[in-house]
Amino acid sequence: MSVQRYAVIGHPVSHSLSPRIHAAFARQAGIALEYSAIDAAPEDFDAVLAEFAAEGGIGANITLPHKTRAAQICNYLSEAAQRAGAVNTLIRTATGWQGDNTDGMGLVRDLTDRHSLDLRSRRTLLIGAGGAARGVAPALLDAGIGDLYIVNRTAERADALADVLAQPGRVHPRYLNDIGNLGNFDLVINATSAARGGDALPSLPINLVAPRGAAVDLSYGEAAVPFLAWARSARAHDCIDGLGMLVEQAAESFQRWHKVRPETDAVYEMLRNRDAILVTAD
Ligand code: NAP
């Protein structure tokens, strides 16, 4: 039987944990597959993907900065991908690529199943309006959070995300530098890549997190350290990084490709217990 070819495509991508996660899932399921990390600069993405397909690639995870472009090249998008305007999972069909977005489901599964958070009615602040924010916002709304406030360095992108979500009574774009006037939140999510570039987020008020509230960084490893340090000083009841989301969104992709739902806890623990998690997030 020939080995099935999969990959994660991003830029940079060399430190991605996705090859290890999918190799572990495949061992668990008894599936022979090859899953590699492919670096593609933005201008090379289309050509790299075409080459991958020509060499037998049948599924790919797409990470920063290609998620929006990936949505544009698909001939079919799942509802999640359409609502996000971004694709993190490609599935090859006879007629081209089918695109899905598993980031939102991955985050919600991690928060509700692994961390036992009840998301219902939580007044939520989403910091960031890039690909990850677009992926998780619809899933959070579907999971029953209360009002959703969105702030972003580039205010227009927060407005655009709020427009796409189309729930004006419930979703409120605001200016990042007005964050001190928004009250406190039961759930504060950092969906920016600020720390990946070594930048600090603008300083966040210490009273942003409500009593028993949760603070979640979609990044993990070193990139999550500054936000989680702030979250602890803000006395967040739950301080959660993006490692669990990473494993859960990978499990959702694996299920789309192989029709098998992998067991995620062992893989999460393996990664959590290694120093090697101090790497760049997907
Ligand atoms: P992206 O599309 O490039 O968006 C980046 C976001 O960060 C934008 O909102 C951007 O604001 C903001 N930002 C960047 N530098 C900033 C700074 N210095 N100050 C304030 N805001 C800044 O990236 P993405 O795909 O959304 O990824 C965001 C983060 O989520 C990354 O760290 C990524 O690793 C993580 N992530 C994790 C998972 C997981 O499974 N755990 C999945 C997806 C993403 P502007 O709009 O103003 O540029």
Side-chain angles (χ1 to χ4, degrees), residues 4 6 18-35 59-61 88-91 100 102 246-264 267:
Q4 303 174 31
Y6 296 86
S18 291
R20 289 182 45 206
I21 294 172
H22 281 273
F25 289 162
R27 273 195 303 277
Q28 211 188 81
I31 295 170
L33 61 79
E34 178 192 311
Y35 186 112
N61 285 126
N88 78 336
T89 305
L90 288 174
I91 304 152
D100 205 343
T102 63
L246 179 76
V247 175
E248 296 303 328
Q249 62 79 28
E252 294 294 326
S253 298
F254 192 91
Q255 184 169 23
R256 305 274 188 294
W257 292 329
H258 307 293
K259 313 297 176 215
V260 180
R261 170 88 200 162
E263 166 58 45
T264 55
V267 177

Side-chain angles (χ1 to χ4, degrees), residues 86-107:
V87 156
N88 78 336
T89 305
L90 288 174
I91 304 152
R92 190 152 174 77
T93 70
T95 52
W97 292 107
Q98 182 178 321
D100 205 343
N101 191 311
T102 63
D103 281 341
M105 193 171 284
L107 175 66

Side-chain angles (χ1 to χ4, degrees), residues 203-221:
S203 76
L204 302 175
I206 217 73
N207 57 358
L208 203 56
V209 186
R212 302 196 62 77
V216 179
D217 197 333
L218 302 192
S219 300
Y220 57 84

Side-chain angles (χ1 to χ4, degrees), residues 120-266:
R120 287 172 301 174
S121 302
R122 283 191 186 235
R123 189 171 189 264
T124 298
L125 176 67
L126 181 61
I127 308 171
R134 297 179 79 93
V136 302
L140 290 166
L141 291 168
D142 290 353
I145 61 165
D147 280 7
L148 176 64
Y149 287 75
I150 305 170
V151 296
N152 191 49
R153 179 178 61 179
T154 308
E156 294 75 20
R157 293 183 86 190
D159 293 340
L161 175 53
D163 284 349
V164 168
L165 294 169
Q167 298 192 36
R170 192 175 171 206
V171 177
H172 317 283
R174 292 289 185 268
Y175 289 112
L176 181 57
N177 58 15
D178 204 26
I179 205 166
N181 299 318
L182 301 180
N184 64 17
F185 294 89
D186 308 303
L187 179 60
V188 176
I189 298 177
N190 178 25
T192 76
S193 57
R196 286 187 73 173
D199 295 334
L201 272 177
S203 76
L204 302 175
I206 217 73
N207 57 358
L208 203 56
V209 186
R212 302 196 62 77
V216 179
D217 197 333
L218 302 192
S219 300
Y220 57 84
E222 279 175 357
V225 169
F227 181 79
L228 293 183
W230 167 83
R232 279 186 285 275
S233 66
R235 299 191 176 282
H237 184 265
D238 303 278
C239 301
I240 298 169
D241 72 5
L243 187 66
M245 171 183 168
L246 179 76
V247 175
E248 296 303 328
Q249 62 79 28
E252 294 294 326
S253 298
F254 192 91
Q255 184 169 23
R256 305 274 188 294
W257 292 329
H258 307 293
K259 313 297 176 215
V260 180
R261 170 88 200 162
E263 166 58 45
T264 55
D265 285 347

